[in-house]
């Protein structure tokens, strides 16, 4: 199960529409109303909500999480860890009533995809972090992830893990390389291609294939991409639109090439080395799923300490070795490279965990879909996808 998927554009559209119906200004929380009483000094606990399969576990006891256990041993802070986030929109619906009504969520730390994090920041639903209390974040955070458009300076968010939306394909069965997004539209791939169904998941890579700078894409760029995909659907070139189930299609050979997430492909390659992942020459999207502290969290300082714990290179390396997504702490690469275990040391050379300079030059973070654009764009994309 991938944390990046399991969502649908329809949900994104309806979540935005629901807020619009209530009136976004009424949902917005002013800066002075976001912080609550912090019990961290006397209550050495915190509640951390994350996605399934997104943290290291002990090989012999899956209930143990070594990096979390190490944090508790070091600080005395116990962590209630819940794997309750299965979908960005579902989680939005779960916590939004409390946040828009100035109530506690019961969570001190959450992890959500950056396109959803942008909504939380716009609504004023998360607190600004004290970077003075997070020296590791200040020192080690990947420069390419330091200042997304939705949260300049990363004052309200810190990447938990990052990843790339690119192209996966079966090189042996296809019989050639894929280098460009346009290669997906070759005649011999008719009916053997899938695209991601989620609006926020799919559009950036497709725009990049058209030469668009996704840091500043326009409404015209979006509609041009939709028209292009719609024509491919009518020609039955695209087999279907998927969530994370593209993994099965690619594994069975029903699909030869598809939009895919880097972390998924690393896991696929363990069973099928013929599967390759490519960052097209025109570029691919770099994204993150980020840690945030909700308004009125009762243990804000404890949460900030936990975030900083995961930015120690040794801890970041241990986590990266388990989840296999792009590590937001480049200094963790040297830690893995020095590992005595050959398999672990090899991870340091994997560009899907530590992108090299050549790959980084082709990666970009897409600007977010604004609240004004979302209803229109979701309606258009859903019509193309068939949702």
């Amino acid at each position: 199960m991938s944390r990046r998927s399991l969502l649908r554009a329809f949900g994104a559209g309806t979540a935005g529409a629901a807020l619009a119906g209530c009136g976004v200004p009424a949902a917005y929380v002013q800066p002075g109303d976001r912080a609550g009483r912090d019990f961290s000094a006397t209550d050495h606990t915190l509640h951390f909500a994350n996605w399934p399969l997104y943290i290291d576990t002990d090989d012999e006891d899956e209930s143990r999480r070594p990096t979390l256990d190490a944090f508790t041993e070091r600080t005395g802070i116990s962590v209630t860890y819940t794997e309750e986030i299965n979908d960005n929109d579902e989680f939005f619906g779960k916590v939004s009533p409390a946040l828009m009504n100035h109530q506690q969520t019961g969570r001190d730390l959450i992890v959500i995809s950056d396109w959803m994090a942008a909504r939380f920041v716009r609504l004023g639903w998360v607190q600004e972090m004290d970077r003075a209390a997070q020296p590791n974040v200040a020192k080690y955070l990947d420069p390419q992830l330091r200042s997304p458009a939705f949260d300049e300076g990363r004052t309200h968010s810190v990447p938990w893990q990052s990843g790339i939306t690119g192209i996966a394909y079966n090189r042996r069965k296809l019989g050639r390389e894929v280098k460009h997004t346009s290669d997906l539209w070759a005649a011999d791939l008719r009916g053997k291609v899938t695209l991601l169904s989620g609006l926020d998941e799919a559009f950036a890579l497709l725009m990049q294939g058209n030469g668009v700078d996704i840091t500043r894409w326009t409404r015209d760029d979006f509609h041009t991409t939709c028209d292009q995909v719609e024509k491919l659907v009518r020609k039955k070139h695209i087999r279907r639109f998927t969530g994370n189930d593209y993994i099965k299609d690619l594994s069975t050979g029903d699909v030869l090439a598809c939009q895919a997430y880097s972390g998924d492909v690393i896991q696929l390659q363990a069973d099928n080395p013929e599967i390759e992942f490519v960052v097209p020459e025109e570029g691919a999207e770099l994204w993150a799923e980020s840690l945030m502290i909700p308004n009125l969290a009762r243990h804000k300082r404890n949460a900030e300490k936990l975030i900083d714990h995961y930015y120690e290179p040794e801890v970041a390396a241990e986590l990266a070795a388990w989840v296999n997504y792009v590590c937001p702490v480049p200094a963790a690469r040297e830690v893995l490279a020095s590992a005595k275990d050959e398999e672990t040391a090899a991870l340091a050379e994997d560009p899907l965990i530590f992108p090299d300079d050549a790959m980084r030059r082709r990666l970009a973070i897409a600007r977010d879909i604004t609240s004004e654009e979302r209803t229109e764009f979701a309606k258009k994309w859903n019509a193309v996808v068939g949702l």
Side-chain angles (χ1 to χ4, degrees), residues 156-178:
H156 298 84
S157 64
V158 175
W160 172 249
Q161 294 293 289
S162 185
I164 302 166
T165 301
I167 296 171
Y169 71 105
N170 189 314
R171 183 169 182 173
R172 185 183 67 82
K173 290 186 177 180
L174 184 57
R176 57 182 169 82
E177 283 187 283
V178 170

Side-chain angles (χ1 to χ4, degrees), residues 74-115:
R74 177 188 298 177
T75 65
I77 299 170
S78 62
V79 182
T80 300
Y81 184 84
T82 58
E83 296 183 331
E84 63 168 316
I85 305 176
N86 292 296
D87 177 279
N88 284 288
D89 293 305
E90 178 187 46
F91 187 70
F92 180 94
K94 185 184 293 186
V95 300
S96 59
L99 289 166
M100 70 173 60
N101 287 294
H102 306 260
Q103 298 170 352
Q104 296 172 2
T105 66
R107 302 157 184 88
D108 300 298
L109 196 58
I110 61 176
V111 176
I112 52 179
S113 300
D114 272 358
W115 64 266

Side-chain angles (χ1 to χ4, degrees), residues 48-65:
F48 181 8
N50 204 347
W51 298 73
L53 308 177
Y54 218 9
I55 198 168
D56 54 303
T57 60
D58 187 274
D59 291 337
E60 298 180 359
D61 182 358
E62 292 186 359
S63 67
R64 293 191 63 249
R65 302 176 177 96

